[in-house]
């Protein structure tokens, strides 16, 4: 069975290819999820930032979330993002340029700034971002979702994370 998901609020994009496992037909998404991480982060910071960034996608874009999981014993597990998440790394300058392109293209996005490493809760995180103009944010991470070609243009200049 094939399903089509529409993101009408963000331009009517469609992702095709979800199936119920009953076919060997390859799944191809016409949307992409990309996470850009600044290349000067420590390993623990990269993992933390990536986790926070992708957490925002499912809350605003329910179509990126798949169905719940279940093992052979019937134990239920939470659903996860339904498509691959591409992880990139980039310099501070490339990350800033990618942020600008994401804004210009009005793609759904989440940000993580260096200030968030010093806060300890969501309220303070939001206040830290709110206190800085978009062009002045000290970005250490950016997640973007949208049509494949649009996301590819946003991440131009970044390289796949090793």
């Amino acid at each position: 069975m094939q399903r089509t998901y529409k993101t009408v609020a963000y331009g009517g994009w469609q992702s095709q290819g979800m199936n119920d496992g009953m076919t060997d037909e390859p799944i191809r998404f016409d949307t992409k999820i990309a996470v850009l991480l600044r290349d000067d982060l420590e390993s623990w910071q990269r993992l933390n930032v990536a986790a926070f960034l992708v957490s925002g996608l499912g809350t605003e874009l329910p179509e990126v979330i798949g169905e719940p999981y279940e093992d052979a014993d019937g134990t239920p597990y939470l659903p996860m993002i339904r498509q691959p998440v591409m992880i990139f790394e980039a310099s501070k300058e490339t990350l800033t340029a990618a942020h600008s392109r994401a804004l210009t293209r009005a793609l759904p996005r989440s940000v993580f700034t260096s200030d968030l490493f010093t806060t300890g809760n969501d309220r303070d995180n939001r206040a830290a971002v709110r206190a800085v103009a978009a062009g002045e944010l000290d970005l250490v991470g950016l997640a973007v979702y949208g049509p494949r070609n649009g996301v590819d243009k946003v991440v131009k200049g970044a390289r796949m994370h090793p």
Side-chain angles (χ1 to χ4, degrees):
M1 178 170 95
Q2 197 161 13
R3 298 179 187 164
T4 301
Y5 293 86
K6 298 181 181 180
T7 55
V8 177
Y10 291 99
W13 310 311
Q14 295 182 7
S15 290
Q16 307 232 338
M18 292 300 293
N19 68 43
D20 60 5
M22 302 305 287
T23 179
D24 290 333
E25 184 178 314
I27 297 172
R28 176 159 166 77
F29 298 97
D30 54 359
T31 57
K32 184 180 260 187
I33 298 170
V35 173
L36 282 77
L37 302 171
R38 205 161 78 190
D39 58 9
D40 61 350
L41 297 178
E42 298 290 331
S43 293
W44 72 267
Q45 291 173 315
R46 290 174 188 233
L47 295 170
N48 186 269
V49 170
F52 270 92
L53 289 171
V54 297
S55 72
L57 295 176
T59 59
E60 290 295 316
L61 305 163
E63 69 273 11
V64 304
I65 303 299
E67 299 295 324
Y69 287 67
E70 183 177 289
D71 63 27
D73 298 323
T75 307
Y77 301 96
L78 295 172
M80 294 186 281
I81 293 174
R82 68 186 178 91
Q83 68 187 82
V85 177
M86 307 305 295
I87 309 289
F88 296 86
E89 69 175 4
S91 67
K92 181 177 182 174
E93 296 76 21
T94 300
L95 187 55
T96 300
H99 178 248
S100 178
R101 289 190 292 267
L103 292 173
T104 299
R105 294 179 175 281
L107 293 177
R109 67 221 160 255
S110 54
V111 296
F112 197 104
T113 68
S114 63
D115 294 333
L116 303 189
F117 290 125
T118 64
T119 60
N121 60 73
D122 185 54
R123 181 195 66 221
D124 293 341
N125 287 350
R126 286 182 283 110
V129 173
R130 189 180 311 111
V132 182
E136 301 300 317
L137 292 170
D138 185 18
L139 296 170
V140 298
L142 171 71
V144 182
Y145 171 76
R148 293 175 63 86
N149 64 344
V151 172
D152 287 343
K153 289 175 182 173
V154 167
V155 301
K156 182 179 178 183
R159 58 196 168 278
M160 290 296 295
H161 191 278

